[in-house]
Amino acid sequence: MTAIKHALQRDIFTPNDERLLSIVNVCKAGKKKKNCFLCATVTTERPVQVKMVKVKKSDKGDFYKRQIAWALRDLAVVDAKDAIKENPEFDLHFEKIYKWVASSTAEKNAFISCIWKLNQRYLRKKIDFVNVSSQLLEESVPSGENQSVTGGDEEVVDVYQELNAREEQDIEIMMEGCECAISNAEAFAERLSRELQVLDGANIQSIMASEKQVNILMKLLDEALKEVDQIELKLSSYEEMLQSVKEQMDQISESNHLIHLSNTNNVKLLSEIEFLVNHMDLAKGHIKALQEGDLASSRGIEACTNAADALLQCMNVALRPGHDMLLAVKQQQQRFSDLREHFARRLASHLNNVFVQQGHDQSSTLAQHSVELALPNHHPFHRDLLRYAKLMEWLKSTDYGKYEGLTKNYMDYLSRLYEREIKDFFEVAKIKMTGTTKESKKFGLHGSSGKLTGSTSSLNKLSVQSSGNRRSQSSSLLDMGNMSASDLDVADRTKFDKIFEQVLSELEPLCLAEQDFISKFFKLQQHQSMPGTMTEAEDADGGTLSRQHNAGAPLPVSSEKDMIRQMMIKIFRCIEPELNNLIALGDKIDSFNSLYMLVKMSHHVWTAQNVDPASFLSTTLGNVLVTVKRNFDKCISNQIRQMEEVKISKKSKVGILPFVAEFEEFAGLAESIFKNAERRGDLDKAYTKLIRGVFVNVEKVANESQKTPRDVVMMENFHHIFATLSRLKISCLEAEKKEAKQKYTDHLQSYVIYSLGQPLEKLNHFFEGVEARVAQGIREEEVSYQLAFNKQELRKVIKEYPGKEVKKGLDNLYKKVDKHLCEEENLLQVVWHSMQDEFIRQYKHFEGLIARCYPGSGVTMEFTIQDILDYCSSIAQSH
């Protein structure tokens, strides 16, 4: 076992810096015996790690290999199975239980004893030992030569210690010099003892021989000490001489240090004074500009701007620690503060005067714009005020209270000015829309405010009246074969469209110019541009200015954008109500004007939102667009209501219904207005509502008609609708177009069949009776044997309709159809041709029945198909 232990130590554990402490030969319990070794080891390096390793002999050769290792701290229980009887079995409880059988009980006990020792030293008694003899554990208490586990830092549980290479070499040399070293160990040991005694004697003799030399050495040391005393005396005298020199040098050094300190302090003082003078000294020219500078001239404004910037730099200089305690600095700061207050008051007073003067100057120019549909140009005023932009920025950063006061005064003055201008502008627009001042009074306009005073009832009355005028105009124009809308209506609507577009075109640049001015003058950020990109803006002269935005520019502040919006709302507070009044007037003049306004307003809202969705202009136009859309929906609802309320004359023929003609007018007008418009979806929805209303009410009127047959009303009106939709090519009404065509075709056929039953009434009744008998099951060739339908009856009926009578009946039918049909739709020839075809089809049907039911009778009609064609042609030509 010892040889195996040495082999395992050398081959497996020494390369891993481990020491083998105990080994036991085991095999697994209850299985075929395959021997292996369990080894208890510790590492040679600190911290010490204690492991239990399973080693197995390799199948391929005579060497051992490491199979598995467990940390001893993972061992929970050691079960020896029996504490009294000898039993080679034992269990080790790791994560699972391993059952082993040792080759002998002694090896098992030795191995368990080693584990107990390691547990005592390294694991603080963590492992539980079950069924282990207490005597075995007591014997394991460290004593004698096996003290290695519990004593100090030693790591030996076993007495064995391996020799190093030099020790092995020395032993081999000794053994080679003694022949009996191997054969007689006692003789070898005795020899070694004698040699050791000889060496000890030699050492003693050597020590005794060296005593004389020691005495000589002591004498020399005494002489050396005397020399040292002499040298110390000389060094003491030298030290006294150097001490005086040192004191003098110390005085010189201290004097130099004070001189250097004084120079350093002077340099620092000069630096501080230069700093204060350079940064807190305001030039006399700047002081004079701030106190007396001319704020009306360009040169004076520039001088004041430079002086204000210099003052701001002096006031914002970062003082070093202690500067604020200097009296001169405090006085200079107070002087700067007084200058700032004085100049801020002077600047605010001057700008307030400029705002007031602007109101007076602009008021004088209102008279020349009163007859023109144009808003006064504020560019000169903006240009003059922008010279003060830098001073406003200075005021904003130094005295925000006065800055806010100026902002409020500007809004007050300008809101009153813009209110006068905009109201006069809208008054002119309303007069131009209605034609003259008298007409504007008729539509509810009076006074300079231009507000509508008409009530809701008058508005509705006017709308009904205008729609009635359109119906009467439409019918008269249809009689002349012209377009459905009168030239007057078209001219008025075109005029209104141009005026409304001009109003929006004047308002849009006015608002944008004022917003841009507010942003620049009051130093408020309104746009966020991409870093390093070029943006274009239109200047007051119509040119294009390119501005480069730096990548490092600060981002806009949302509160400043809100401030711009609030200022714009207060300045232009009258725009939205004035626009709403103008829209109400346009809708009052002609409800179809809502189409023009919807398209124009949608376009301007879309343009404004592309520039800035949250701007004042975008928000205001968006609110007005809601009103326009509401009026448009109201227009559609009114048309549908008028369809439902239409009444027809009981004495005259119906013809094309008024609301059908109005739908044609509306669709034609809408298609021309909404061409390439942004809000086409609103029109498509309106189309769907209107066409459904038209379809329903055409059928309603047709059912109520007494003078004109229902089929004629349906046929003519749905033909007109189909023609209108085919001409306009409205994509969203394709299904309705097909439906209109189908209804027209169905009612044309129904009318033709109903009308043709009258010219040959008796003949029709006779053949209907023949068909009824055949339907009852009588064979066709046997019908002639029926008393009521024999050959004599057939000849009697046929004789009643000679060619002359047929022509007369057709002529009466043509006159009757001519009375039913209206001239506007021009369907007489179409209906007559259909009747001719249907009559020929009936003739052929009658001849077929005669040939089948009366074969060989020789009975024929007294007129031919050619006669029918000639009759129809001559009748049509004669009328």
Side-chain angles (χ1 to χ4, degrees):
M1 182 64 75
T2 304
I4 293 174
K5 186 175 180 181
H6 293 331
L8 293 176
Q9 175 69 48
R10 181 182 66 248
D11 297 336
I12 295 178
F13 299 110
T14 299
N16 292 329
D17 295 328
E18 293 177 311
R19 292 193 61 199
L20 177 59
L21 302 182
S22 182
I23 185 172
V24 58
N25 186 4
V26 296
C27 64
K28 289 188 177 180
K31 291 189 177 181
K32 185 179 179 181
K33 293 186 178 181
K34 289 185 178 179
N35 289 348
C36 59
F37 296 98
L38 289 179
C39 305
T41 67
V42 294
T43 57
T44 59
E45 296 181 353
R46 295 184 182 280
V48 176
Q49 297 182 12
V50 186
K51 296 180 181 179
M52 189 177 296
V53 183
K54 179 183 175 183
V55 177
K56 187 178 180 182
K57 195 169 186 179
S58 175
D59 297 334
K60 298 181 179 179
D62 191 13
F63 63 91
Y64 294 93
K65 65 178 181 180
R66 188 182 187 124
Q67 191 172 19
I68 189 170
W70 302 273
L72 197 62
R73 65 175 177 272
D74 295 335
L75 180 60
V77 178
V78 176
D79 187 358
K81 296 295 184 181
D82 197 330
I84 301 173
K85 297 180 182 180
E86 292 187 359
N87 186 350
E89 296 181 3
F90 65 98
D91 295 344
L92 299 177
H93 293 231
F94 289 98
E95 290 182 354
K96 69 177 188 175
I97 301 173
Y98 294 89
K99 298 180 181 295
W100 305 103
V101 179
S103 59
S104 66
T105 305
E107 284 187 16
K108 181 189 86 168
N109 292 338
F111 187 72
I112 291 175
S113 176
C114 179
I115 294 175
W116 188 85
K117 294 174 184 176
L118 293 171
N119 178 43
Q120 294 294 316
R121 179 174 182 187
Y122 296 109
L123 303 181
R124 299 179 182 177
K125 302 180 181 180
K126 178 182 177 183
I127 303 173
D128 292 334
F129 289 84
V130 182
N131 298 323
V132 180
S133 172
S134 59
Q135 183 179 0
L136 177 63
L137 298 180
E138 290 173 0
E139 290 174 355
S140 300
V141 175
S143 63
E145 60 185 8
N146 291 331
Q147 194 179 348
S148 58
V149 176
T150 60
D153 295 329
E154 294 175 7
E155 299 170 348
V156 187
V157 176
D158 196 41
V159 296
Y160 173 78
Q161 183 172 356
E162 190 176 2
L163 298 175
N164 58 34
R166 184 171 179 180
E167 289 173 340
E168 289 180 356
Q169 185 178 1
D170 291 342
I171 290 173
E172 288 177 358
I173 293 171
M174 290 173 62
M175 290 175 70
E176 288 176 359
C178 181
E179 295 179 355
C180 61
I182 298 175
S183 60
N184 191 347
E186 293 180 359
F188 179 60
E190 186 177 349
R191 179 179 173 181
L192 291 176
S193 179
R194 286 197 303 268
E195 290 182 357
L196 181 61
Q197 291 176 359
V198 172
L199 289 174
D200 289 340
N203 286 335
I204 293 170
Q205 290 177 2
S206 176
I207 292 171
M208 293 175 64
S210 62
E211 185 176 357
K212 293 180 180 180
Q213 297 296 329
V214 170
N215 293 331
I216 296 171
L217 181 60
M218 293 299 291
K219 189 180 293 184
L220 290 174
L221 287 174
D222 292 336
E223 293 175 357
L225 288 173
K226 292 179 181 179
E227 294 293 334
V228 167
D229 291 337
Q230 294 177 3
I231 291 172
E232 285 182 350
L233 291 173
K234 290 182 179 180
L235 287 175
S236 297
S237 63
Y238 294 156
E239 185 177 0
E240 291 175 358
M241 291 189 301
L242 288 174
Q243 184 65 30
S244 62
V245 175
K246 179 178 177 297
E247 292 175 358
Q248 295 176 5
M249 293 303 296
D250 288 343
Q251 292 177 357
I252 294 172
S253 175
E254 185 177 358
S255 176
N256 288 337
H257 174 69
L258 293 174
I259 293 171
H260 177 71
L261 183 61
S262 176
N263 289 337
T264 302
N265 290 337
N266 289 333
V267 170
K268 288 183 178 180
L269 180 60
L270 180 62
S271 174
E272 296 294 331
I273 293 173
E274 287 178 346
F275 173 81
L276 293 174
V277 170
N278 292 335
H279 292 86
M280 295 193 69
D281 185 29
L282 190 63
K284 292 182 178 179
H286 290 333
I287 296 174
K288 185 176 181 181
L290 292 173
Q291 291 175 340
E292 305 172 359
D294 184 11
L295 289 172
S297 64
S298 299
R299 182 175 295 179
I301 293 171
E302 184 179 0
C304 290
T305 303
N306 295 333
D309 289 341
L311 176 62
L312 186 62
Q313 291 179 3
C314 291
M315 295 186 71
N316 292 339
V317 64
L319 295 177
R320 296 169 184 172
H323 283 176
D324 53 351
M325 299 177 67
L326 296 174
L327 180 61
V329 172
K330 292 180 180 178
Q331 291 175 347
Q332 191 73 342
Q333 286 177 333
Q334 184 61 41
R335 186 182 183 190
F336 290 158
S337 180
D338 294 341
L339 276 173
R340 181 190 65 189
E341 291 293 330
H342 175 73
F343 181 68
R345 284 196 303 271
R346 207 160 65 88
L347 176 63
S349 175
H350 178 77
L351 289 177
N352 279 325
N353 293 334
V354 173
F355 296 158
V356 174
Q357 185 63 35
Q358 161 66 9
H360 294 316
D361 293 344
Q362 287 292 116
S363 298
S364 63
T365 63
L366 288 178
Q368 66 184 23
H369 291 281
S370 60
V371 295
E372 300 177 5
L373 191 59
L375 284 165
N377 187 5
H378 287 248
H379 173 67
F381 175 59
H382 290 167
R383 182 192 57 213
D384 293 342
L385 277 181
L386 283 176
R387 297 181 302 168
Y388 301 95
K390 290 185 178 180
L391 289 175
M392 283 298 294
E393 184 178 12
W394 175 85
L395 190 64
K396 181 181 179 182
S397 62
T398 57
D399 194 336
Y400 197 76
K402 288 186 174 58
Y403 170 82
E404 280 189 323
L406 276 176
T407 303
K408 184 177 182 302
N409 290 340
Y410 178 82
M411 289 190 293
D412 291 340
Y413 291 132
L414 266 293
S415 62
R416 291 195 290 269
L417 174 63
Y418 275 120
E419 187 171 3
R420 292 197 303 271
E421 293 178 353
I422 290 171
K423 286 186 176 180
D424 291 346
F425 171 72
F426 275 93
E427 177 70 18
V428 173
K430 292 169 186 175
I431 291 173
K432 287 184 177 292
M433 283 182 181
T434 54
T436 63
T437 306
K438 291 182 179 179
E439 291 179 357
S440 67
K441 291 180 179 178
K442 181 180 73 173
F443 287 113
L445 287 170
H446 68 85
S448 61
S449 64
K451 293 185 178 179
L452 290 169
T453 59
S455 64
T456 306
S457 60
S458 63
L459 175 64
N460 295 335
K461 182 177 179 182
L462 180 62
S463 300
V464 174
Q465 180 183 354
S466 63
S467 64
N469 292 337
R470 285 200 300 272
R471 285 199 295 272
S472 62
Q473 290 166 356
S474 299
S475 60
S476 63
L477 287 170
L478 284 168
D479 291 338
M480 295 183 292
N482 292 332
M483 57 189 297
S484 60
S486 69
D487 293 338
L488 182 61
D489 282 343
V490 172
D492 288 344
R493 290 168 183 165
T494 304
K495 176 184 175 183
F496 175 83
D497 183 37
K498 290 181 178 178
I499 293 173
F500 192 73
E501 171 63 23
Q502 189 173 357
V503 168
L504 295 179
S505 299
E506 287 288 326
L507 288 176
E508 188 170 321
L510 179 73
C511 293
L512 291 177
E514 184 62 33
Q515 180 169 315
D516 187 57
F517 168 75
I518 289 174
S519 172
K520 293 177 180 177
F521 181 70
F522 292 99
K523 293 301 175 181
L524 301 172
Q525 301 179 19
Q526 60 174 331
H527 299 296
Q528 180 175 357
S529 301
M530 293 300 291
T533 58
M534 297 293 294
T535 59
E536 291 186 350
E538 188 176 357
D539 64 6
D541 298 328
T544 300
L545 302 175
S546 296
R547 298 193 293 269
Q548 177 73 30
H549 295 276
N550 296 325
L555 294 176
V557 181
S558 58
S559 59
E560 293 191 349
K561 293 180 68 176
D562 293 339
M563 186 173 179
I564 293 176
R565 193 180 303 111
Q566 293 300 322
M567 290 180 68
M568 292 290 292
I569 290 172
K570 185 167 184 180
I571 292 172
F572 292 109
R573 60 194 173 195
C574 64
I575 283 184
E576 187 170 338
E578 288 294 333
L579 272 174
N580 287 331
N581 289 339
L582 187 68
I583 289 166
L585 175 63
D587 191 57
K588 203 172 190 181
I589 294 172
D590 186 349
S591 61
F592 281 3
N593 285 336
S594 62
L595 278 71
Y596 292 96
M597 291 188 286
L598 181 62
V599 172
K600 295 299 183 185
M601 188 60 69
S602 299
H603 175 70
H604 282 272
V605 169
W606 179 80
T607 304
Q609 286 182 343
N610 283 342
V611 175
D612 185 0
S615 67
F616 163 79
L617 182 64
S618 176
T619 305
T620 302
L621 294 182
N623 294 338
V624 176
L625 177 60
V626 173
T627 303
V628 173
K629 178 61 170 60
R630 193 177 294 121
N631 288 345
F632 175 76
D633 294 338
K634 183 179 176 183
C635 173
I636 302 301
S637 301
N638 286 339
Q639 290 192 56
I640 295 174
R641 189 180 69 251
Q642 290 169 14
M643 294 178 195
E644 296 169 350
E645 295 173 354
V646 70
K647 301 295 182 182
I648 58 172
S649 174
K650 296 180 180 180
K651 296 182 180 180
S652 60
K653 58 184 177 182
V654 177
I656 302 301
L657 293 169
F659 57 80
V660 174
E662 286 181 1
F663 174 76
E664 180 185 12
E665 178 188 2
F666 174 83
L669 180 64
E671 286 301 306
S672 63
I673 295 174
F674 277 81
K675 188 177 182 180
N676 301 323
E678 287 85 0
R679 296 183 69 98
R680 176 74 196 193
D682 294 331
L683 180 61
D684 290 343
K685 293 177 183 177
Y687 276 149
T688 304
K689 293 180 182 178
L690 283 175
I691 200 68
R692 284 292 109 201
V694 170
F695 278 21
V696 170
N697 287 286
V698 165
E699 191 161 353
K700 174 189 170 186
V701 171
N703 292 333
E704 297 173 353
S705 173
Q706 297 179 1
K707 181 73 174 178
T708 306
R710 177 179 184 276
D711 287 328
V712 173
V713 177
M714 297 286 284
M715 173 185 66
E716 288 183 327
N717 282 279
F718 278 108
H719 176 268
H720 192 85
I721 295 170
F722 171 70
T724 299
L725 296 181
S726 299
R727 174 172 55 84
L728 296 177
K729 298 178 180 178
I730 302 173
S731 59
C732 68
L733 297 181
E734 280 298 317
E736 285 76 5
K737 183 179 76 172
K738 294 178 182 178
E739 184 180 352
K741 182 179 180 182
Q742 185 63 43
K743 287 180 179 292
Y744 154 68
T745 305
D746 292 344
H747 289 284
L748 172 62
Q749 189 67 21
S750 175
Y751 178 66
V752 168
I753 293 173
Y754 169 76
S755 300
L756 279 177
Q758 296 175 0
L760 306 177
E761 186 174 359
K762 292 182 179 179
L763 194 62
N764 276 329
H765 288 322
F766 182 85
F767 282 110
E768 285 175 0
V770 171
E771 289 176 339
R773 293 296 186 276
V774 173
Q776 290 172 2
I778 300 175
R779 295 172 61 182
E780 290 182 339
E781 60 269 17
E782 296 178 357
V783 172
S784 60
Y785 300 108
Q786 297 289 321
L787 182 62
F789 299 100
N790 56 24
K791 297 176 183 178
Q792 289 76 14
E793 292 295 327
L794 175 62
R795 287 191 180 98
K796 188 186 297 184
V797 173
I798 288 175
K799 282 183 180 180
E800 291 185 14
Y801 293 101
K804 185 178 180 180
E805 287 297 323
V806 171
K807 183 178 180 180
K808 183 179 178 181
L810 288 174
D811 187 61
N812 292 332
L813 178 62
Y814 187 90
K815 292 177 181 178
K816 192 172 185 180
V817 170
D818 190 20
K819 289 180 181 179
H820 287 165
L821 299 180
C822 65
E823 295 180 0
E824 296 97 318
E825 206 58 24
N826 197 24
L827 288 177
L828 180 59
Q829 295 305 318
V830 176
V831 174
W832 185 244
H833 189 269
S834 298
M835 286 185 169
Q836 173 185 296
D837 294 341
E838 179 63 23
F839 193 52
I840 292 173
R841 188 194 65 77
Q842 287 186 11
Y843 179 88
K844 291 179 179 179
H845 179 62
F846 295 160
E847 281 192 335
L849 286 175
I850 292 172
R852 293 194 302 276
C853 299
Y854 304 92
S857 63
V859 179
T860 58
M861 305 288 285
E862 294 194 0
F863 56 92
T864 63
I865 292 177
Q866 185 60 44
D867 293 336
I868 295 172
L869 293 174
D870 293 340
Y871 298 157
C872 291
S873 178
S874 63
I875 290 170
Q877 290 176 1
S878 65
H879 290 280

